[in-house]
Amino acid sequence: MKRKLLGIIDATTYHDDLEELLIHRSLAALPFAGRYRIIDFVLSNMVNSGIRSVAIFPKMQYRSLMDHLGSGKNWDLNRKRDGLFFFPSPVVDSNPNRVGSFDLFAANMDYFYRSTQEYAIISNCYTIINMDYKPILEWHHDMHCDITEIHHRDGRSMEMYLIKTSLLIKLIQSRNETGYTCMRDVVQDLHNEYTICRYDYDDYAVMVDSIVSYYDASLNLLKPDVWGNLFVKGQPILTKVKDEPPTKYEKGSLVKNSMIANGCVINGTVENSIISRGVKIGKGAIIKNCIVMQKCQIEEGVHLDTVILDKDVRVEAGTRLSGTVQLPFVVRKGTKQGALMNS
């Protein structure tokens, strides 16, 4: 019997350690790997697992997320029946760190009442992973679990939960009596009345919850084994399509062990770095161990090492910026960095 899943993505989470990159966007919309947003991974996993109804629950700074997702066309979710649903929070919660807020779900109960899927997968929005939920659902059913919490091989909860939709509705409706605010509260209550199962996931997965984890997860993509685990034939990671020309490599440019997206103009040296769409790098510039987001302009003679440039940053000629693996140097979106400013 083919069991159907409802997809629920909790995009309410905010991590203080990512503040420099979340001033203008939600965590779900954080750029990743040159051309993706972080939410693309979990959302693509759901689509590749046969899920045709996905609800996204954001809380704040979600304009860029809405722009990225649009109607869901790029994920084949612009459907007459089911499809992609976007449910912004009606209020700003005083606690931005809650995961899977039942209060936010409760404000959109019609979605759950009208769903025809017997089971639901509830996921965070910030895990870099390529996962097929179908075998996990079969395991959940065969083990007679009420709730399955997915863990990584390192023992850490991945904040992904499988549950019957009817039980989820019950938990949301009874939240005031039980005190449960989210799925994490339920599974951590040693006195709950449910059969809680733990499913251990052995393949590659990273939860982006700090600048360091974001930096590490990004540059790990340059390792062939990590790339091969995330970008799998038959299980594509889908994203918003943008039509841009190929990158132009000018005479004298040099690129080593890097990912370069479309629409760039490279005049300098790029090594061990992730370069997003539309970036311009001037002559004599040296970019090493860096993450450079969309439409940044790096002028002549700039030297960057272990730096994260957010979108639309301009680095003036002759500027030198450097950080460490433990503390990458982060430049905020839309700002300008000059040689005199950092001398």
Side-chain angles (χ1 to χ4, degrees), residues 247-276:
T247 285
K248 184 177 183 181
Y249 299 90
E250 300 284 9
K251 185 177 180 180
S253 64
L254 178 64
V255 176
K256 296 181 179 179
N257 191 39
S258 297
M259 290 174 54
I260 313 290
N262 290 348
C264 299
V265 178
I266 310 295
N267 281 281
T269 297
V270 180
E271 186 174 342
N272 299 323
S273 296
I274 310 289
I275 310 297
S276 298

PDB file of all heavy atoms in Angstrom, residues 247-276:
ATOM      1  N   THR A 247      30.059  32.213 -17.163  1.00  0.00           N
ATOM      2  CA  THR A 247      31.089  33.061 -16.567  1.00  0.00           C
ATOM      3  C   THR A 247      32.212  33.311 -17.566  1.00  0.00           C
ATOM      4  O   THR A 247      32.589  32.431 -18.331  1.00  0.00           O
ATOM      5  CB  THR A 247      31.634  32.394 -15.290  1.00  0.00           C
ATOM      6  OG1 THR A 247      30.655  32.544 -14.261  1.00  0.00           O
ATOM      7  CG2 THR A 247      32.930  33.023 -14.830  1.00  0.00           C
ATOM      8  N   LYS A 248      32.736  34.529 -17.543  1.00  0.00           N
ATOM      9  CA  LYS A 248      33.822  34.912 -18.446  1.00  0.00           C
ATOM     10  C   LYS A 248      35.134  34.931 -17.669  1.00  0.00           C
ATOM     11  O   LYS A 248      35.271  35.642 -16.668  1.00  0.00           O
ATOM     12  CB  LYS A 248      33.537  36.288 -19.043  1.00  0.00           C
ATOM     13  CG  LYS A 248      34.561  36.727 -20.078  1.00  0.00           C
ATOM     14  CD  LYS A 248      34.177  38.080 -20.678  1.00  0.00           C
ATOM     15  CE  LYS A 248      35.164  38.498 -21.770  1.00  0.00           C
ATOM     16  NZ  LYS A 248      34.796  39.823 -22.338  1.00  0.00           N
ATOM     17  N   TYR A 249      36.085  34.143 -18.144  1.00  0.00           N
ATOM     18  CA  TYR A 249      37.407  34.087 -17.519  1.00  0.00           C
ATOM     19  C   TYR A 249      38.375  34.885 -18.397  1.00  0.00           C
ATOM     20  O   TYR A 249      38.733  34.458 -19.489  1.00  0.00           O
ATOM     21  CB  TYR A 249      37.872  32.638 -17.368  1.00  0.00           C
ATOM     22  CG  TYR A 249      36.967  31.807 -16.492  1.00  0.00           C
ATOM     23  CD1 TYR A 249      35.894  31.099 -17.038  1.00  0.00           C
ATOM     24  CD2 TYR A 249      37.169  31.741 -15.123  1.00  0.00           C
ATOM     25  CE1 TYR A 249      35.043  30.344 -16.235  1.00  0.00           C
ATOM     26  CE2 TYR A 249      36.329  30.991 -14.305  1.00  0.00           C
ATOM     27  CZ  TYR A 249      35.267  30.294 -14.874  1.00  0.00           C
ATOM     28  OH  TYR A 249      34.429  29.551 -14.079  1.00  0.00           O
ATOM     29  N   GLU A 250      38.783  36.037 -17.916  1.00  0.00           N
ATOM     30  CA  GLU A 250      39.661  36.904 -18.696  1.00  0.00           C
ATOM     31  C   GLU A 250      41.098  36.372 -18.700  1.00  0.00           C
ATOM     32  O   GLU A 250      41.489  35.566 -17.846  1.00  0.00           O
ATOM     33  CB  GLU A 250      39.644  38.326 -18.104  1.00  0.00           C
ATOM     34  CG  GLU A 250      38.281  38.985 -18.094  1.00  0.00           C
ATOM     35  CD  GLU A 250      37.859  39.486 -19.461  1.00  0.00           C
ATOM     36  OE1 GLU A 250      38.554  39.180 -20.458  1.00  0.00           O
ATOM     37  OE2 GLU A 250      36.839  40.193 -19.537  1.00  0.00           O
ATOM     38  N   LYS A 251      41.879  36.854 -19.664  1.00  0.00           N
ATOM     39  CA  LYS A 251      43.277  36.463 -19.775  1.00  0.00           C
ATOM     40  C   LYS A 251      44.017  36.836 -18.490  1.00  0.00           C
ATOM     41  O   LYS A 251      43.889  37.959 -17.992  1.00  0.00           O
ATOM     42  CB  LYS A 251      43.924  37.154 -20.970  1.00  0.00           C
ATOM     43  CG  LYS A 251      45.362  36.719 -21.234  1.00  0.00           C
ATOM     44  CD  LYS A 251      45.918  37.390 -22.473  1.00  0.00           C
ATOM     45  CE  LYS A 251      47.360  36.952 -22.736  1.00  0.00           C
ATOM     46  NZ  LYS A 251      47.926  37.593 -23.955  1.00  0.00           N
ATOM     47  N   GLY A 252      44.771  35.889 -17.960  1.00  0.00           N
ATOM     48  CA  GLY A 252      45.505  36.125 -16.721  1.00  0.00           C
ATOM     49  C   GLY A 252      44.790  35.676 -15.471  1.00  0.00           C
ATOM     50  O   GLY A 252      45.365  35.673 -14.387  1.00  0.00           O
ATOM     51  N   SER A 253      43.521  35.277 -15.595  1.00  0.00           N
ATOM     52  CA  SER A 253      42.788  34.769 -14.422  1.00  0.00           C
ATOM     53  C   SER A 253      43.233  33.352 -14.099  1.00  0.00           C
ATOM     54  O   SER A 253      43.735  32.619 -14.963  1.00  0.00           O
ATOM     55  CB  SER A 253      41.281  34.798 -14.682  1.00  0.00           C
ATOM     56  OG  SER A 253      40.949  33.920 -15.749  1.00  0.00           O
ATOM     57  N   LEU A 254      43.035  32.961 -12.844  1.00  0.00           N
ATOM     58  CA  LEU A 254      43.424  31.621 -12.396  1.00  0.00           C
ATOM     59  C   LEU A 254      42.411  31.138 -11.367  1.00  0.00           C
ATOM     60  O   LEU A 254      42.147  31.830 -10.379  1.00  0.00           O
ATOM     61  CB  LEU A 254      44.827  31.655 -11.781  1.00  0.00           C
ATOM     62  CG  LEU A 254      45.360  30.337 -11.215  1.00  0.00           C
ATOM     63  CD1 LEU A 254      45.521  29.291 -12.322  1.00  0.00           C
ATOM     64  CD2 LEU A 254      46.686  30.549 -10.489  1.00  0.00           C
ATOM     65  N   VAL A 255      41.860  29.943 -11.590  1.00  0.00           N
ATOM     66  CA  VAL A 255      40.873  29.371 -10.668  1.00  0.00           C
ATOM     67  C   VAL A 255      41.320  27.971 -10.273  1.00  0.00           C
ATOM     68  O   VAL A 255      41.605  27.136 -11.135  1.00  0.00           O
ATOM     69  CB  VAL A 255      39.470  29.315 -11.308  1.00  0.00           C
ATOM     70  CG1 VAL A 255      38.485  28.626 -10.368  1.00  0.00           C
ATOM     71  CG2 VAL A 255      38.982  30.717 -11.655  1.00  0.00           C
ATOM     72  N   LYS A 256      41.376  27.718  -8.959  1.00  0.00           N
ATOM     73  CA  LYS A 256      41.764  26.410  -8.439  1.00  0.00           C
ATOM     74  C   LYS A 256      40.726  25.923  -7.436  1.00  0.00           C
ATOM     75  O   LYS A 256      40.342  26.658  -6.528  1.00  0.00           O
ATOM     76  CB  LYS A 256      43.136  26.475  -7.736  1.00  0.00           C
ATOM     77  CG  LYS A 256      44.301  26.826  -8.631  1.00  0.00           C
ATOM     78  CD  LYS A 256      45.592  26.835  -7.806  1.00  0.00           C
ATOM     79  CE  LYS A 256      46.803  27.154  -8.660  1.00  0.00           C
ATOM     80  NZ  LYS A 256      48.053  27.178  -7.831  1.00  0.00           N
ATOM     81  N   ASN A 257      40.280  24.697  -7.600  1.00  0.00           N
ATOM     82  CA  ASN A 257      39.428  24.008  -6.623  1.00  0.00           C
ATOM     83  C   ASN A 257      38.317  24.921  -6.098  1.00  0.00           C
ATOM     84  O   ASN A 257      38.163  25.134  -4.898  1.00  0.00           O
ATOM     85  CB  ASN A 257      40.267  23.499  -5.448  1.00  0.00           C
ATOM     86  CG  ASN A 257      39.476  22.545  -4.555  1.00  0.00           C
ATOM     87  OD1 ASN A 257      38.704  21.723  -5.050  1.00  0.00           O
ATOM     88  ND2 ASN A 257      39.649  22.658  -3.245  1.00  0.00           N
ATOM     89  N   SER A 258      37.520  25.481  -7.006  1.00  0.00           N
ATOM     90  CA  SER A 258      36.468  26.419  -6.621  1.00  0.00           C
ATOM     91  C   SER A 258      35.198  26.146  -7.404  1.00  0.00           C
ATOM     92  O   SER A 258      35.216  25.489  -8.449  1.00  0.00           O
ATOM     93  CB  SER A 258      36.926  27.867  -6.875  1.00  0.00           C
ATOM     94  OG  SER A 258      38.041  28.185  -6.071  1.00  0.00           O
ATOM     95  N   MET A 259      34.076  26.649  -6.878  1.00  0.00           N
ATOM     96  CA  MET A 259      32.793  26.607  -7.574  1.00  0.00           C
ATOM     97  C   MET A 259      32.450  28.017  -8.011  1.00  0.00           C
ATOM     98  O   MET A 259      32.380  28.925  -7.185  1.00  0.00           O
ATOM     99  CB  MET A 259      31.691  26.078  -6.650  1.00  0.00           C
ATOM    100  CG  MET A 259      31.799  24.608  -6.317  1.00  0.00           C
ATOM    101  SD  MET A 259      30.557  24.127  -5.079  1.00  0.00           S
ATOM    102  CE  MET A 259      29.054  24.707  -5.865  1.00  0.00           C
ATOM    103  N   ILE A 260      32.243  28.184  -9.315  1.00  0.00           N
ATOM    104  CA  ILE A 260      31.926  29.490  -9.873  1.00  0.00           C
ATOM    105  C   ILE A 260      30.565  29.402 -10.547  1.00  0.00           C
ATOM    106  O   ILE A 260      30.377  28.612 -11.479  1.00  0.00           O
ATOM    107  CB  ILE A 260      32.976  29.955 -10.900  1.00  0.00           C
ATOM    108  CG1 ILE A 260      34.407  29.747 -10.366  1.00  0.00           C
ATOM    109  CG2 ILE A 260      32.725  31.396 -11.299  1.00  0.00           C
ATOM    110  CD1 ILE A 260      34.809  30.650  -9.256  1.00  0.00           C
ATOM    111  N   ALA A 261      29.613  30.211 -10.115  1.00  0.00           N
ATOM    112  CA  ALA A 261      28.280  30.210 -10.719  1.00  0.00           C
ATOM    113  C   ALA A 261      28.281  31.011 -12.020  1.00  0.00           C
ATOM    114  O   ALA A 261      29.290  31.610 -12.408  1.00  0.00           O
ATOM    115  CB  ALA A 261      27.262  30.770  -9.735  1.00  0.00           C
ATOM    116  N   ASN A 262      27.139  31.057 -12.688  1.00  0.00           N
ATOM    117  CA  ASN A 262      27.013  31.763 -13.961  1.00  0.00           C
ATOM    118  C   ASN A 262      27.089  33.279 -13.793  1.00  0.00           C
ATOM    119  O   ASN A 262      26.858  33.818 -12.716  1.00  0.00           O
ATOM    120  CB  ASN A 262      25.684  31.420 -14.632  1.00  0.00           C
ATOM    121  CG  ASN A 262      25.652  29.992 -15.130  1.00  0.00           C
ATOM    122  OD1 ASN A 262      26.673  29.325 -15.185  1.00  0.00           O
ATOM    123  ND2 ASN A 262      24.470  29.528 -15.494  1.00  0.00           N
ATOM    124  N   GLY A 263      27.382  33.940 -14.915  1.00  0.00           N
ATOM    125  CA  GLY A 263      27.289  35.389 -14.973  1.00  0.00           C
ATOM    126  C   GLY A 263      28.424  36.146 -14.331  1.00  0.00           C
ATOM    127  O   GLY A 263      28.338  37.370 -14.186  1.00  0.00           O
ATOM    128  N   CYS A 264      29.507  35.483 -13.951  1.00  0.00           N
ATOM    129  CA  CYS A 264      30.641  36.154 -13.311  1.00  0.00           C
ATOM    130  C   CYS A 264      31.658  36.635 -14.354  1.00  0.00           C
ATOM    131  O   CYS A 264      31.689  36.150 -15.488  1.00  0.00           O
ATOM    132  CB  CYS A 264      31.334  35.215 -12.324  1.00  0.00           C
ATOM    133  SG  CYS A 264      30.284  34.653 -10.966  1.00  0.00           S
ATOM    134  N   VAL A 265      32.499  37.557 -13.940  1.00  0.00           N
ATOM    135  CA  VAL A 265      33.651  37.987 -14.736  1.00  0.00           C
ATOM    136  C   VAL A 265      34.876  37.880 -13.829  1.00  0.00           C
ATOM    137  O   VAL A 265      34.974  38.582 -12.816  1.00  0.00           O
ATOM    138  CB  VAL A 265      33.498  39.435 -15.249  1.00  0.00           C
ATOM    139  CG1 VAL A 265      34.748  39.839 -16.037  1.00  0.00           C
ATOM    140  CG2 VAL A 265      32.257  39.575 -16.107  1.00  0.00           C
ATOM    141  N   ILE A 266      35.787  36.982 -14.196  1.00  0.00           N
ATOM    142  CA  ILE A 266      36.936  36.690 -13.346  1.00  0.00           C
ATOM    143  C   ILE A 266      38.210  37.203 -14.013  1.00  0.00           C
ATOM    144  O   ILE A 266      38.585  36.742 -15.096  1.00  0.00           O
ATOM    145  CB  ILE A 266      37.074  35.170 -13.085  1.00  0.00           C
ATOM    146  CG1 ILE A 266      35.742  34.555 -12.624  1.00  0.00           C
ATOM    147  CG2 ILE A 266      38.179  34.906 -12.059  1.00  0.00           C
ATOM    148  CD1 ILE A 266      35.254  35.046 -11.303  1.00  0.00           C
ATOM    149  N   ASN A 267      38.869  38.152 -13.361  1.00  0.00           N
ATOM    150  CA  ASN A 267      40.157  38.660 -13.829  1.00  0.00           C
ATOM    151  C   ASN A 267      41.307  38.237 -12.923  1.00  0.00           C
ATOM    152  O   ASN A 267      42.451  38.229 -13.347  1.00  0.00           O
ATOM    153  CB  ASN A 267      40.126  40.189 -13.893  1.00  0.00           C
ATOM    154  CG  ASN A 267      39.420  40.699 -15.136  1.00  0.00           C
ATOM    155  OD1 ASN A 267      39.991  40.712 -16.219  1.00  0.00           O
ATOM    156  ND2 ASN A 267      38.180  41.114 -14.976  1.00  0.00           N
ATOM    157  N   GLY A 268      41.000  37.926 -11.667  1.00  0.00           N
ATOM    158  CA  GLY A 268      42.034  37.627 -10.695  1.00  0.00           C
ATOM    159  C   GLY A 268      42.191  36.141 -10.411  1.00  0.00           C
ATOM    160  O   GLY A 268      41.857  35.284 -11.237  1.00  0.00           O
ATOM    161  N   THR A 269      42.640  35.829  -9.189  1.00  0.00           N
ATOM    162  CA  THR A 269      42.887  34.452  -8.756  1.00  0.00           C
ATOM    163  C   THR A 269      41.834  34.041  -7.737  1.00  0.00           C
ATOM    164  O   THR A 269      41.556  34.779  -6.789  1.00  0.00           O
ATOM    165  CB  THR A 269      44.285  34.335  -8.112  1.00  0.00           C
ATOM    166  OG1 THR A 269      45.271  34.640  -9.097  1.00  0.00           O
ATOM    167  CG2 THR A 269      44.527  32.933  -7.576  1.00  0.00           C
ATOM    168  N   VAL A 270      41.261  32.878  -7.956  1.00  0.00           N
ATOM    169  CA  VAL A 270      40.259  32.329  -7.038  1.00  0.00           C
ATOM    170  C   VAL A 270      40.707  30.930  -6.645  1.00  0.00           C
ATOM    171  O   VAL A 270      40.945  30.085  -7.516  1.00  0.00           O
ATOM    172  CB  VAL A 270      38.862  32.272  -7.678  1.00  0.00           C
ATOM    173  CG1 VAL A 270      37.852  31.702  -6.687  1.00  0.00           C
ATOM    174  CG2 VAL A 270      38.430  33.651  -8.156  1.00  0.00           C
ATOM    175  N   GLU A 271      40.787  30.672  -5.342  1.00  0.00           N
ATOM    176  CA  GLU A 271      41.269  29.375  -4.877  1.00  0.00           C
ATOM    177  C   GLU A 271      40.441  28.911  -3.679  1.00  0.00           C
ATOM    178  O   GLU A 271      40.195  29.686  -2.752  1.00  0.00           O
ATOM    179  CB  GLU A 271      42.742  29.484  -4.475  1.00  0.00           C
ATOM    180  CG  GLU A 271      43.392  28.161  -4.099  1.00  0.00           C
ATOM    181  CD  GLU A 271      44.883  28.297  -3.855  1.00  0.00           C
ATOM    182  OE1 GLU A 271      45.464  29.317  -4.307  1.00  0.00           O
ATOM    183  OE2 GLU A 271      45.463  27.395  -3.212  1.00  0.00           O
ATOM    184  N   ASN A 272      39.988  27.650  -3.723  1.00  0.00           N
ATOM    185  CA  ASN A 272      39.224  27.051  -2.615  1.00  0.00           C
ATOM    186  C   ASN A 272      38.063  27.944  -2.174  1.00  0.00           C
ATOM    187  O   ASN A 272      37.877  28.203  -0.980  1.00  0.00           O
ATOM    188  CB  ASN A 272      40.140  26.787  -1.411  1.00  0.00           C
ATOM    189  CG  ASN A 272      41.267  25.828  -1.738  1.00  0.00           C
ATOM    190  OD1 ASN A 272      41.090  24.871  -2.493  1.00  0.00           O
ATOM    191  ND2 ASN A 272      42.430  26.081  -1.188  1.00  0.00           N
ATOM    192  N   SER A 273      37.265  28.391  -3.117  1.00  0.00           N
ATOM    193  CA  SER A 273      36.207  29.345  -2.798  1.00  0.00           C
ATOM    194  C   SER A 273      34.912  29.029  -3.524  1.00  0.00           C
ATOM    195  O   SER A 273      34.894  28.295  -4.518  1.00  0.00           O
ATOM    196  CB  SER A 273      36.655  30.770  -3.164  1.00  0.00           C
ATOM    197  OG  SER A 273      37.757  31.171  -2.379  1.00  0.00           O
ATOM    198  N   ILE A 274      33.806  29.600  -3.004  1.00  0.00           N
ATOM    199  CA  ILE A 274      32.483  29.488  -3.603  1.00  0.00           C
ATOM    200  C   ILE A 274      32.090  30.878  -4.093  1.00  0.00           C
ATOM    201  O   ILE A 274      31.966  31.808  -3.290  1.00  0.00           O
ATOM    202  CB  ILE A 274      31.436  28.991  -2.589  1.00  0.00           C
ATOM    203  CG1 ILE A 274      31.919  27.731  -1.851  1.00  0.00           C
ATOM    204  CG2 ILE A 274      30.095  28.765  -3.272  1.00  0.00           C
ATOM    205  CD1 ILE A 274      31.965  26.488  -2.687  1.00  0.00           C
ATOM    206  N   ILE A 275      31.875  31.011  -5.398  1.00  0.00           N
ATOM    207  CA  ILE A 275      31.546  32.301  -5.992  1.00  0.00           C
ATOM    208  C   ILE A 275      30.148  32.221  -6.604  1.00  0.00           C
ATOM    209  O   ILE A 275      29.897  31.403  -7.492  1.00  0.00           O
ATOM    210  CB  ILE A 275      32.573  32.710  -7.073  1.00  0.00           C
ATOM    211  CG1 ILE A 275      34.017  32.584  -6.543  1.00  0.00           C
ATOM    212  CG2 ILE A 275      32.281  34.112  -7.569  1.00  0.00           C
ATOM    213  CD1 ILE A 275      34.343  33.495  -5.399  1.00  0.00           C
ATOM    214  N   SER A 276      29.254  33.088  -6.156  1.00  0.00           N
ATOM    215  CA  SER A 276      27.862  33.063  -6.618  1.00  0.00           C
ATOM    216  C   SER A 276      27.695  33.818  -7.935  1.00  0.00           C
ATOM    217  O   SER A 276      28.648  34.368  -8.491  1.00  0.00           O
ATOM    218  CB  SER A 276      26.942  33.657  -5.548  1.00  0.00           C
ATOM    219  OG  SER A 276      26.989  32.892  -4.369  1.00  0.00           O
TER     220      SER A 276
END
